[in-house]
Amino acid sequence: MLRKDSAEASKIPNLKRRLVDGLQVITGEGVLSGSGHLSARIPGTKTFLINPRFAGVLADSKDICTVNFEGKRIAGKGPVPSETPIHAAVYRSRPDVGSVIHCHARYSILVGLLDSGLIPFNREARLFADGVPIFPESRGINSFTLAQRMVDALGPHYAVFLRAHGVVVVGPGIEGTCLSAIQLERACQDQLLMMSITTVKPMSDAGRGRNNARLENPYRAWPFLLYKHKVKSKAEIRAGIRTLEEGEHY
Ligand SMILES: [Zn+2]
């Protein structure tokens, strides 16, 4: 047990660095603003890492807090965000989830107000072809009672709109979850643009759903975003790229 604990502890600095990178990228992409938070489960524990209650883009590794599944801060200076119960409630209920984003992204809020919700009509939206439910309450989710109702609305899906408030996006890992939130925001923007021109219909093969492995996209989308937002030097990004063999597919 001790050995397992220390093995998990050794992964924490790396998880914190990836979380900080993720915060830079999703802020640069307009998903996060001065508000919103990104968390990551510490594997094998009932704890997770989250940025404190100030603009996520300003957080360094040393600022990242460790919180337990009761929503209580157990390490880091804090304070933790008032909506931390969102994250704790998701981790409690969804063992498949390793990372959670809650944000108040502009276009996601607008589409969450439509009766139709998200209509997966293009490639960007394919990730969410199994549906993005709409949680009808718009107040801040600062209690476990409310957070559990939100988790019930989320069900097995990868995102839930919080009506007139924001969105919660979940996924197996930090980078994939960040990419999902970016794709959702872009899909919402595209949908609104299309709706101003014509009636939007879902793709005929939208039901194919998503591919988590592909979403992690270790050699293309994420390195590009790290470069675009100057999170790391080009050399550092290149060094971290895990290339696929020729002919190898996800
Ligand atoms: Zn919120």
Side-chain angles (χ1 to χ4, degrees):
M1 192 63 195
L2 260 179
R3 183 180 289 176
K4 189 182 170 207
D5 284 351
S6 59
E8 294 307 335
S10 71
K11 293 176 188 161
I12 292 175
N14 186 43
L15 264 183
K16 285 185 177 176
R17 267 193 300 275
R18 288 167 57 200
L19 199 78
V20 168
D21 290 352
L23 288 164
Q24 313 286 312
V25 168
I26 56 177
T27 304
E29 289 293 305
V31 167
L32 218 68
S33 59
S35 66
H37 14 93
L38 169 65
S39 69
R41 185 196 293 271
I42 301 176
T45 73
K46 291 187 172 175
T47 60
F48 60 94
L49 301 171
I50 190 166
N51 60 291
R53 195 179 187 179
F54 57 79
V57 74
L58 299 176
D60 291 323
S61 284
K62 64 175 169 34
D63 301 312
I64 301 301
C65 301
T66 306
V67 176
N68 66 19
F69 283 7
E70 280 70 56
K72 190 172 167 5
R73 177 171 53 86
I74 54 173
K77 192 159 166 261
V80 294
S82 60
E83 293 188 288
T84 298
I86 291 175
H87 302 258
V90 171
Y91 292 126
R92 280 186 194 178
S93 302
R94 289 278 300 269
D96 60 313
V97 169
S99 183
V100 177
I101 293 173
H102 169 54
C103 59
H104 311 117
R106 181 181 187 182
Y107 296 104
S108 298
I109 290 176
L110 293 176
V111 169
L113 286 166
L114 299 174
D115 289 339
S116 67
L118 183 74
I119 301 169
F121 76 95
N122 63 3
R123 199 178 144 92
E124 297 288 347
R126 176 169 279 167
L127 295 169
F128 301 102
D130 62 343
V132 179
I134 301 172
F135 182 61
E137 298 186 51
S138 57
R139 59 198 158 123
I141 301 181
N142 55 10
S143 75
F144 274 94
T145 311
L146 201 52
Q148 189 52 49
R149 288 216 294 277
M150 183 278 299
V151 168
D152 293 344
L154 171 69
H157 299 281
Y158 292 97
V160 58
F161 291 117
L162 314 179
R163 195 169 173 81
H165 169 185
V167 68
V168 175
V169 181
V170 308
I174 295 171
E175 294 81 5
T177 304
C178 289
L179 286 168
S180 294
I182 294 165
Q183 303 246 119
L184 178 61
E185 178 67 355
R186 198 163 296 160
C188 289
Q189 188 176 3
D190 289 350
Q191 180 177 326
L192 293 170
L193 179 62
M194 279 296 284
M195 287 174 85
S196 68
I197 304 165
T198 186
T199 304
V200 180
K201 295 184 182 127
M203 283 187 296
S204 56
D205 63 345
R208 280 175 52 191
R210 63 191 264 164
N211 179 329
N212 284 336
R214 188 176 183 86
L215 186 64
E216 299 294 338
N217 207 332
Y219 61 101
R220 202 176 275 149
W222 194 251
F224 166 71
L225 289 167
L226 291 175
Y227 176 73
K228 178 181 172 187
H229 298 295
K230 300 184 169 47
V231 175
K232 290 185 162 112
S233 72
K234 191 168 164 179
E236 283 176 299
I237 297 166
R238 283 289 301 269
I241 289 179
R242 178 169 59 82
T243 52
L244 298 182
E245 296 297 322
E246 256 179 32
E248 184 186 348
H249 299 289
Y250 282 114

